[in-house]
């Protein structure tokens, strides 16, 4: 099951208590203080792992507590440091502190670590407080408490290209043809209920493509679980909006209205999404009885900021051309050198 949000409770380890002790040996009846310090409390450590793909492991395991530091003892023995608790999460996980949802850290790279709070410092034993004016201190410090907090884990997929559009626009078929991803495909809306990702290989290069569940009006307000899905395209470099060209035979104006609705949902969720590189893909052109409809659609989306491309995921028409164009746009957005992506041979 794909789970992209989880609420957990963490407790950093407390520092150990310092010890009150005096040296007592056979021929030293009045030895000085020798109470050792307490050990440091264990940390809570979040580590991003590329092999992780979901937050489902936190569905039933929500409480994480690091070990407390050990108490000091006589003979100046320091207490043992508490063991840390390691929490692995997928790359792309945002760590937020509840209830204010303050962003603490964004784990975007493999093996990146974050500690939301250091383990409590161990208390000083009475040997620490010995001085010329206080030769027999009979007190020690308690350990410092480690912080406790509720954490919201929010996973945002790390994809280069995001596919958006109405339900049944052909997104799942496209990603299945261009990558090794195998989403459920059927001829009815809302086949895709969770985001799917796959790697598109272009000669010696590659990029990651994500198939987002179909959007409906009001998605930015959570309708159709819209906010759960829209957040996954915030990290993408390129957005492809898929338009079902076969529907244009019935009502070409409806196509434009549907496009504007999707644009409005993106803008309402995060205006920065409209600043990303944008492709409009006219899908299912293999099902068109009249190819002149493609020209009408291209003029309908006549915008210098957009790249319009008619494609067919079923026949494969223009898919190779699309892969090169997407790779070039991804590399441009990331300021990477192009490695032959302009070639369409």
């Amino acid at each position: 099951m794909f789970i992209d949000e989880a609420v957990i409770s963490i407790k950093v380890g407390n520092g150990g208590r310092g010890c009150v002790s005096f040296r007592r040996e056979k021929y030293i009846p009045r030895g000085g203080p020798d109470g050792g310090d307490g050990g440091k409390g264990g940390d809570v450590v979040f580590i991003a792992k590329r092999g992780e793909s979901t937050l489902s492991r936190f569905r039933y395991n929500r409480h994480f507590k690091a070990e407390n530091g050990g108490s000091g003892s006589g003979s100046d023995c320091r207490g043992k440091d508490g063991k840390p608790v390691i929490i692995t999460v997928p790359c792309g996980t945002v760590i937020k502190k509840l209830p204010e949802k303050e962003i603490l850290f964004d784990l975007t790279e493999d093996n990146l670590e974050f500690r939301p709070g250091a383990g409590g410092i161990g208390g000083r034993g009475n040997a620490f407080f010995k001085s010329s004016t206080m030769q027999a201190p009979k007190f020690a410090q308690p350990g410092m408490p480690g912080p406790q907090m509720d954490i919201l884990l929010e996973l945002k997929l790390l994809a280069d290209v995001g596919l958006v559009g109405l339900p049944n626009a052909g997104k799942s078929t496209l990603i299945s043809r261009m990558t090794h991803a195998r989403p459920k495909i059927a001829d009815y809306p809302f086949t895709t209920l969770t985001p799917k990702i796959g790697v598109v290989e272009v000669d010696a290069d590659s990029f990651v493509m994500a198939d987002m569940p179909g959007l409906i009006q009001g998605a930015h307000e959570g309708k159709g679980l819209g906010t759960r899905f829209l957040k996954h395209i915030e990290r993408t470099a390129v957005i492809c909006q898929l338009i079902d060209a076969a529907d244009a035979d019935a009502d070409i104006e409806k196509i434009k209205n549907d496009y504007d609705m999707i644009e409005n949902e993106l803008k309402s969720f995060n205006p920065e999404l409209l600043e990303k590189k944008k492709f409009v893909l006219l899908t299912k052109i293999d099902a068109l009885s009249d190819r002149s409809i493609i020209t009408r659609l291209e003029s309908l989306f006549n915008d210098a900021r957009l790249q319009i491309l008619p494609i067919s995921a079923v026949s494969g028409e223009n898919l190779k051309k699309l892969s090169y164009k997407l790779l070039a746009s991804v590399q441009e957005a990331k300021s990477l050198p192009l490695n032959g992506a302009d070639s369409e041979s």
Side-chain angles (χ1 to χ4, degrees):
M1 178 181 295
F2 181 84
I3 295 179
D4 54 7
E5 284 188 359
V7 176
I8 64 173
S9 176
I10 63 170
K11 175 65 174 72
V12 178
N14 299 329
R17 294 185 61 86
C19 175
V20 176
S21 174
F22 294 90
R23 185 180 179 189
R24 291 293 182 263
E25 298 181 27
K26 185 174 182 181
Y27 297 108
I28 310 177
R30 295 192 177 188
D34 66 351
D37 300 340
K40 175 183 174 295
D43 294 342
V44 173
V45 186
F46 289 93
I47 303 180
K49 290 295 182 182
R50 197 171 299 282
E52 304 266 351
S53 59
T54 175
L55 299 175
S56 58
R57 62 184 290 257
F58 302 105
R59 191 176 183 185
Y60 302 109
N61 187 16
R62 296 175 178 263
H63 299 276
F64 298 87
K65 183 178 180 181
E67 187 178 55
N68 294 332
S71 297
S73 58
S75 301
D76 290 312
C77 290
R78 183 178 182 274
K80 181 181 178 183
D81 288 344
K83 293 181 180 179
V85 59
I86 307 296
I87 305 174
T88 58
V89 296
C91 291
T93 300
V94 180
I95 300 175
K96 297 182 178 181
K97 183 179 179 181
L98 294 175
E100 60 272 16
K101 293 188 177 180
E102 172 193 357
I103 296 178
L104 300 179
F105 205 78
D106 193 353
L107 293 164
T108 56
E109 300 177 11
D110 191 34
N111 291 320
L112 193 61
E113 296 185 6
F114 171 64
R115 290 170 168 80
I121 299 173
R124 297 290 192 177
N126 67 336
F128 175 82
F129 298 101
K130 179 184 177 181
S131 67
S132 59
T133 58
M134 186 183 296
Q135 297 185 2
K138 297 181 180 179
F139 60 88
Q141 291 179 328
M144 294 290 291
Q148 180 173 356
M149 64 187 78
D150 292 330
I151 294 290
L152 171 64
L153 301 177
E154 187 177 86
L155 174 60
K156 296 181 181 181
L157 297 180
L158 295 174
D160 300 309
V161 177
L163 305 181
V164 300
L166 292 174
N168 213 30
K171 301 183 296 297
S172 296
T173 305
L174 178 61
I175 196 172
S176 69
R177 284 298 304 270
M178 296 187 70
T179 76
H180 295 296
R182 291 295 174 263
K184 181 180 179 182
I185 301 172
D187 191 21
Y188 54 85
F190 296 108
T191 303
T192 302
L193 299 178
T194 61
K196 302 292 189 299
I197 61 174
V199 178
V200 180
E201 297 179 353
V202 186
D203 297 334
D205 293 301
S206 64
F207 59 88
V208 179
M209 177 180 284
D211 164 27
M212 302 298 157
L215 300 177
I216 61 175
Q217 191 163 2
H220 71 280
E221 298 174 341
K223 292 184 179 180
L225 297 179
T227 53
R228 293 285 300 275
F229 301 147
L230 284 168
K231 68 184 178 185
H232 291 297
I233 64 173
E234 287 185 300
R235 299 186 192 273
T236 58
V238 179
I239 295 178
C240 293
Q241 185 177 154
L242 277 64
I243 301 292
D244 187 347
D247 278 352
D249 282 328
D251 188 352
I252 195 168
E253 285 302 319
K254 179 180 181 297
I255 296 295
K256 187 61 167 64
N257 292 336
D258 290 341
Y259 171 84
D260 291 339
M261 184 273 289
I262 297 295
E263 287 290 281
N264 183 63
E265 293 303 320
L266 297 178
K267 179 180 179 181
S268 299
F269 180 75
N270 185 347
E272 294 181 2
L273 293 178
L274 299 187
E275 300 176 6
K276 294 181 180 291
K277 188 73 174 180
K278 187 74 172 291
F279 283 76
V280 174
L281 306 182
L282 307 177
T283 66
K284 305 181 184 180
I285 60 174
D286 58 287
L288 291 176
S289 57
D290 181 7
R291 284 291 182 109
S292 66
I293 196 70
I294 295 177
T295 303
R296 294 175 61 193
L297 286 171
E298 288 175 336
S299 63
L300 190 67
F301 296 104
N302 186 18
D303 189 328
R305 298 172 302 169
L306 300 176
Q307 291 205 40
I308 317 298
L309 188 64
I311 64 169
S312 170
V314 174
S315 67
E317 184 174 351
N318 284 336
L319 292 192
K320 187 174 182 180
K321 183 178 181 180
L322 173 62
S323 65
Y324 279 110
K325 285 182 174 292
L326 290 177
L327 176 64
S329 295
V330 168
Q331 292 180 327
E332 180 184 1
K334 293 184 172 183
S335 299
L336 296 177
L338 301 181
N339 297 321
D342 292 332
S343 170
E344 294 179 8
S345 59

